[in-house]
Amino acid sequence: MASVSTIEWTEMTWNPVTGCHKLSQGCKHCYAERMARRLHLMGSARYANEFTPTLHWDLVDQPRSWQKPRTVFVNSMSDLFQVDVPLEFIAKVFETMAATPQHTYQVLTKRSDRLLKLAKHLPWPENVWMGVSVEDARVKQRVKDLQRVPAKVRFLSCEPLIGPLAKLPLKGIHWVIVGGESGPGARPMDPDWVEDIHHQCQAAGTLFFFKQWGGVHKHLTGRILHGRTYDDMPARAATA
């Protein structure tokens, strides 16, 4: 199951796993859960289990059929490192990513502890970018876990940013995405939180991407900061 994405920092999504369990406050208004419920009501076979974690073994090799290079967000509808996903399955996903160096894969998790535990069992080719979600100071440990993972590109998704993130440990972090929460019940994001992260990235030489201000109607608030957009991203891995 793959589809073109409207997410500003990727081109498409690939979901060999669907469904997840909520872990922290960043999960409170999960967009993937809302979408899964909608797809379930529409009769989508992939969402017969609604948002219960489900492995789609038949999709693990899907990227091998894509010839044109693509930037791919892996499991936008789930979390590859949740405990419901066995190492065998995760390893197969990584095997596919390693075997398709023409594509750039963006993997994002909130389960940084399990990521760190399993990292030594996985290949880490240049085309796999590994990130963690960091919504507020309560989960900053995720950054320290990520720093110990041998990915060639490490990134943070500070979205939904629901609290300040002072003194982020940015050594070895190549990219930071910042965005406000959007949709029903969206919690406000203080502009000072954004400014502080931007300044930290400038000081550390870390690439900064501002995704959105968010809100119930995010199209009204846009993504302009300082009169411009911030779209910095790491360079894609070179392929032969």
Side-chain angles (χ1 to χ4, degrees), residues 187-224:
R187 290 160 286 184
M189 178 175 66
D190 190 321
D192 287 344
W193 304 342
V194 180
E195 291 286 358
D196 183 53
I197 295 172
H198 180 231
H199 292 154
Q200 291 182 64
C201 288
Q202 287 183 311
T206 300
L207 297 172
F208 178 82
F209 190 108
F210 185 60
K211 182 174 178 288
Q212 63 185 29
W213 286 105
V216 176
H217 303 291
K218 69 175 184 178
H219 63 283
L220 298 178
T221 57
R223 52 187 303 261
I224 301 297

Side-chain angles (χ1 to χ4, degrees), residues 100-130:
T100 52
Q102 70 272 31
H103 307 310
T104 297
Y105 297 94
Q106 301 156 317
V107 184
L108 185 61
T109 186
K110 287 183 174 69
R111 278 76 176 180
S112 63
D113 51 349
R114 189 162 188 247
L115 164 66
L116 180 58
K117 179 181 177 181
L118 300 183
K120 61 180 178 292
H121 300 293
L122 302 169
W124 291 97
E126 291 187 9
N127 65 322
V128 175
W129 300 1
M130 190 68 232

